[in-house]
Each structure stands twice: as structure tokens, then as C-alpha cells.
Amino acid sequence: ERAGFAPVEARLALSEALASDERADTPLPDAERAEVEVRLARLAKQSGDLVEAAERFDAAIARSQSPVQRAGRMRQRAQVDRARGENTASRARLAQALSLLVGVAGREALVTSIAIRCDEAWLKYSDGAYEDAIERIEALLRQLPDDGEHALEGDLFNTSGAAAFRLGDYERAQHDYRRALAAFERVGNSLSVSALCNNLGILAWRQGDDRAAIQHYQRAVRIKAERG
């Protein structure tokens, strides 16, 4: 879609291509089919079609080759559960994903495990267990590799910042939100940058800094307008 396709158009084109492939004499190998299913699942989720997103992620998981790949896609499937308000199902799926990584060595397995546990911490935040969420994130940040995992670093600091905000620790919240903002800026995640600018605006307003609040809000609106 970055090359010109809108999400709806990209979703339609991929769906039609996949349907044609199913009728072919030599369909895509499982690994390639799984990649297409993941792409369609993300587009469906972006469009708000959580039923199709769940079905597509399930199809991708069934065709995944490695435990790490399967665990990562199971995490994405758990996020769909969470978006549907099914937090119990999301927790169970995250636990299942972690079980796939037991005994699996290597950086990819470590990073995937941290990402899954970050989502578990967010569910703790959703439950109102803010201190528990922060403690979990602090432990995960100590495990995070020093280089290259900026998107995950952003997720971790965003979670701890949100929990600190709820606890009224505005200094900690500002620090963590700014760390998350810097991380998402490095990977060009404009949606998360916009959301964090909005959060920093709310935080500045709570701290009585109206000028900073306006600046953060203006940047959030500008980014959203640029995305279309």
C-alpha cells in the first residue's frame, strides 16, 4: 500500500490473487501462502474486520514452519482477541505462544518472547495492575538486545508510560513516552508517533503546561492529516 495501493484495494487484490492460486495446479508453498495470509490478516484488522483477521491469522499459523514463526503469528492472533475485547482468550493464546519457544535458542526467539511478554504486560495494564505491568516491562527492557529492536522498544516504553500515567507518576510517564516516541520515529511508525504526541499532549495538560500540550496536539493532528 505504500507504493500506491489503499488498504482496501490491496486487500481485494491479494484476496483475488490467493483465490486464483487455490485453483492453480501448483499452488504456493505453505511458507509463501502463510506470508500472504498474514498480510491479508493485517489489512483486515486495519479495516476493522476482526473476524476475517482472526481467520487469516489462524490460516497463517497452520502453515507456519518454525516454532518462532508460529509463536510470532500467534501473538498477532492474540492481539485480534484483545481488539475484540476477549482478553481471556488473548492471555491463553499468548501463553500458548510462549510454550512454543521453550528450549528454543537464538536472538529471534528471544525477541519474539519479549514481544509476547510485552503484550502480557499490556493486558495487566488493562486489568488495572499498573505496578505489575511496569515491573514486567522493566525486566523485559533489561533483556532487550541493545541494537536494532526499536519498534519493540517503543512498545515496551509505551506500555510502561501508560501505566505510570495511570499511577499519577507523570515524570516517569513523560520519560517513557519520550523514549517510545524516539523509538517509533526511528522506524517511521507514523501512527504510533501520532498517538504518542497525543498522549504527551494530555500529559502536558495535566502538568499545567498548556503551550507544550498545544504543540503536541498540533503535531499529532498534522501527522494524522499527512497519513490521510
Side-chain angles (χ1 to χ4, degrees), residues 183-195:
F184 286 130
E185 285 175 335
R186 293 189 70 173
V187 296
N189 187 335
S190 59
L191 183 63
S192 294
V193 168
S194 178

Side-chain angles (χ1 to χ4, degrees), residues 6-221:
V8 173
E9 294 169 334
R11 184 178 169 193
L12 178 60
L14 277 173
S15 296
E16 290 180 351
L18 204 59
S20 296
D21 179 72
E22 289 172 349
R23 295 190 294 269
D25 294 333
T26 55
L28 286 171
D30 279 350
E32 294 181 32
R33 173 65 183 255
E35 290 289 345
V36 177
E37 294 286 7
V38 168
R39 179 65 173 148
L40 280 166
R42 289 173 177 166
L43 289 168
K45 185 181 177 189
Q46 186 178 347
S47 300
D49 189 344
L50 299 181
V51 172
E52 181 178 338
E55 292 172 351
R56 294 291 187 184
F57 277 129
D58 286 340
I61 291 165
R63 291 175 170 82
S64 298
Q65 303 298 309
S66 72
V68 174
Q69 197 175 61
R70 186 183 292 268
R73 289 167 178 168
M74 201 167 286
R75 176 204 176 206
Q76 293 176 300
R77 176 64 174 83
Q79 290 173 344
V80 176
D81 289 329
R82 192 175 75 197
R84 296 167 72 173
E86 299 171 358
N87 286 357
T88 299
S90 184
R91 285 190 189 88
R93 212 176 297 275
L94 290 173
Q96 186 180 1
L98 282 174
S99 72
L100 295 173
L101 299 175
V102 174
V104 181
R107 179 185 174 120
E108 188 179 8
L110 171 63
V111 170
T112 301
S113 173
I114 292 172
I116 293 167
R117 294 185 187 280
C118 178
D119 284 5
E120 288 184 326
W122 184 262
L123 287 171
K124 286 292 183 181
Y125 164 83
S126 299
D127 290 340
Y130 306 128
E131 292 178 350
D132 189 356
I134 289 173
E135 289 176 4
R136 288 168 180 253
I137 293 299
E138 288 174 342
L140 294 174
L141 283 167
R142 289 192 291 270
Q143 299 173 40
L144 189 69
D146 293 333
D147 61 309
E149 300 300 335
H150 304 302
L152 180 51
E153 180 186 9
D155 286 338
L156 290 164
F157 275 113
N158 183 53
T159 300
S160 58
F165 179 85
R166 292 295 184 182
L167 288 170
D169 187 349
Y170 295 155
E171 184 176 347
R172 168 71 182 267
Q174 184 178 60
H175 170 272
D176 289 359
Y177 276 152
R178 288 190 179 278
R179 289 290 300 271
L181 179 65
F184 286 130
E185 285 175 335
R186 293 189 70 173
V187 296
N189 187 335
S190 59
L191 183 63
S192 294
V193 168
S194 178
L196 279 159
C197 286
N198 185 70
N199 290 347
L200 283 165
I202 295 171
L203 183 58
W205 175 72
R206 286 286 185 93
Q207 293 174 304
D209 191 344
D210 293 341
R211 183 180 296 273
I214 290 171
Q215 290 173 340
H216 288 306
Y217 288 142
Q218 286 178 327
R219 187 182 179 198
V221 170

